Amino acid sequence: MLTVTGLTLREIRLPLKEPFHTSTGTVADRRVLLVQLDEIDGAVGWGECVALATPDYWPETIDTAWLMIRDWIGPRVLGRTFEGPEYVSVVLAHGIRGHAMARAAVEMAMWDLAAGIKRMPLATLLGGTRDKVATGVVLGLQESAEALADRARAAVDEGYRRVKLKIKPGVDIQSVRAVFAAVGSNVPLTVDANCAYTLDDASHLAKLDEFGLQYIEQPLAWDDLVRHADLQQQIRTPICLDESITGVDRVEDMIRLGSGRVINLKPGRIGGFLESLAIHALCVEKDVPLWCGGMLETGIGRAHNIALASLSGFTLAGDLSPSARYWAEDIVEPEWTMDTDGYVAVPLDESGMGVSVRMDRVEALTVRHEIFSA
Ligand code: MG
């Protein structure tokens, strides 16, 4: 049984080691919304809302999520008893359209809470079977193709098991060619366009076919499936959908329409773990390659992603970089690290998410907070 008696919303600001550039914009200081749930017997569960400060990746922002959790989502868990975390998602979704990032922050905190109370690793509670997860690097847009190639080479030397390049019109083929020349076929290479192209670019994007990319991620609009299906007919490189996947229904649509062949699953963007488990099950059944994406999470969101990625259906390397890639200092201990073979260990000796939140650091970074009690 889970009875939540307290909910704390916190905004922290965590400076990235260096600004992260994609086709939609730049993040330098990560504004992060953290959710802390207090259970009646003193246990604590953590959630991290993956919304960004701006609505250019997704309609939600950390400010809309704050409002939704305060006014709509928080009241649905406060003072209420759930038999288990798998019953939370439907309660949060009832009568609320959208706001999946806000819902996920609370839903995932409930799973974290449940794992702690059961004294079980979160990964095990979710059904994970791996003790380590394969990690890929994401390289943002750089000032030159040469700089990008240098970074790709360094990442492969560090052990990363896949290299993903952010691309946009005008910064694509040349970048891939430079990186391909630098790392060759030693490591899978992928690109992520974050919706920067249209169907008119099909013949241009077909030029990527010669590099044997593992996939091209979300080339077309964030809510599109039909044009992606047309594009997939015209290019050999498998399309991986990220932004277009809002839940298991969209994965079914993708399969039926032929809009893509690979799924990037971000639990924090699609309402949380229960929906993620449904997508995982469908991908296993339909033999669709699946991997876990990232949203510049702190060590808390990273813990949740790593737990999920330990399920056997996550067949490709995920965006699960260690803490030190993004942060001078994380907000959890121990920090997440990667071995020289490019794997992050799943903390199976600890209950809950497997890392502790450094409350002193969280307090010091907090710029606003609100506490709600049952
Ligand atoms: Mg993406």
Side-chain angles (χ1 to χ4, degrees):
M1 293 290 180
L2 297 168
T3 304
V4 176
T5 55
L7 185 158
T8 303
L9 289 179
R10 267 194 201 86
E11 179 183 339
I12 64 166
R13 296 202 181 185
L14 203 54
L16 283 156
K17 271 186 173 172
E18 59 179 68
F20 188 69
H21 305 287
T22 73
S23 67
T24 60
T26 297
V27 181
D29 257 330
R30 183 71 164 104
R31 292 176 60 196
V32 184
L33 169 52
L34 298 177
V35 175
Q36 178 187 336
L37 299 180
D38 300 303
E39 208 261 349
I40 196 163
D41 293 323
V44 172
W46 285 93
E48 175 170 340
C49 182
V50 301
L52 300 173
T54 50
D56 53 4
Y57 167 81
W58 192 246
E60 297 178 78
T61 69
I62 98 156
D63 299 303
T64 69
W66 188 292
L67 181 148
M68 284 303 294
I69 295 173
R70 184 190 69 197
D71 293 352
W72 293 95
I73 297 167
R76 296 181 178 202
V77 296
L78 269 177
R80 181 162 179 165
T81 297
F82 291 87
E83 277 185 52
E86 64 273 32
Y87 298 98
V88 176
S89 179
V90 65
V91 171
L92 300 190
H94 180 72
I96 295 179
R97 291 185 181 174
H99 303 284
M101 288 178 169
R103 287 187 276 116
V106 172
E107 200 253 12
M108 292 163 78
M110 291 291 275
W111 283 85
D112 181 45
L113 186 60
I117 290 170
K118 287 174 184 278
R119 303 203 174 284
M120 178 187 278
L122 177 61
T124 307
L125 182 63
L126 291 169
T129 51
R130 293 203 182 99
D131 60 3
K132 60 182 182 178
V133 294
T135 301
V137 74
V138 188
L139 299 174
L141 296 165
Q142 307 290 324
E143 64 275 16
S144 70
E146 293 69 36
L148 184 63
D150 287 345
R151 292 203 166 214
R153 204 179 289 113
V156 172
D157 289 346
E158 267 183 78
Y160 280 103
R161 304 190 69 83
R162 175 271 271 149
V163 173
K164 170 166 126 180
L165 316 177
K166 293 290 187 180
I167 59 168
K168 65 178 183 180
V171 190
D172 44 28
I173 311 288
Q174 197 191 352
S175 304
V176 174
R177 181 166 288 125
V179 172
F180 188 77
V183 304
S185 49
N186 293 337
V187 60
L189 190 57
T190 74
V191 294
D192 185 0
N194 292 106
C195 319
Y197 296 87
T198 71
L199 200 49
D200 292 341
D201 298 309
S203 59
H204 178 70
L205 293 173
K207 293 177 190 159
L208 291 170
D209 285 346
E210 68 172 284
F211 300 105
L213 301 179
Q214 196 170 52
Y215 50 79
I216 175 172
E217 192 176 333
Q218 196 74 33
L220 308 182
W222 66 281
D223 53 354
D224 175 81
L225 289 165
V226 172
R227 290 163 192 80
H228 277 105
D230 283 347
L231 178 63
Q232 185 67 89
Q233 294 279 328
Q234 298 179 53
I235 63 175
R236 284 202 310 277
T237 307
I239 291 174
C240 170
L241 293 183
D242 171 3
E243 285 91 334
S244 291
I245 300 302
T246 52
V248 67
D249 290 354
R250 292 294 86 75
V251 179
E252 285 176 4
D253 294 348
M254 181 199 86
I255 295 168
R256 198 183 305 180
L257 295 170
S259 319
R261 298 176 187 154
V262 181
I263 295 286
N264 171 2
L265 174 49
K266 295 176 174 170
R269 193 171 61 64
I270 58 146
F273 282 134
L274 192 74
E275 192 71 17
S276 298
L277 295 177
I279 290 177
H280 174 266
L282 181 63
C283 287
V284 169
E285 184 197 328
K286 301 289 188 185
D287 209 15
V288 175
L290 175 68
W291 56 280
C292 183
M295 291 287 298
L296 302 175
E297 287 95 342
T298 74
I300 294 173
R302 203 158 298 279
H304 293 172
N305 289 346
I306 287 165
L308 183 67
S310 74
L311 274 76
S312 61
F314 286 84
T315 50
L316 303 179
D319 292 346
L320 304 164
S321 283
S323 305
R325 171 153 182 81
Y326 294 115
W327 318 115
E329 200 179 350
D330 206 335
I331 59 169
V332 300
E333 59 188 357
E335 294 203 349
W336 293 101
T337 56
M338 182 180 78
D339 68 23
T340 52
D341 291 323
Y343 288 96
V344 174
V346 181
L348 294 173
D349 297 334
E350 307 281 338
S351 64
M353 63 181 169
V355 288
S356 305
V357 177
R358 290 178 53 190
M359 283 310 297
D360 56 336
R361 182 150 168 75
V362 168
E363 298 282 3
L365 292 165
T366 296
V367 294
R368 60 169 165 160
H369 76 282
E370 251 181 294
I371 299 173
F372 308 92
S373 329

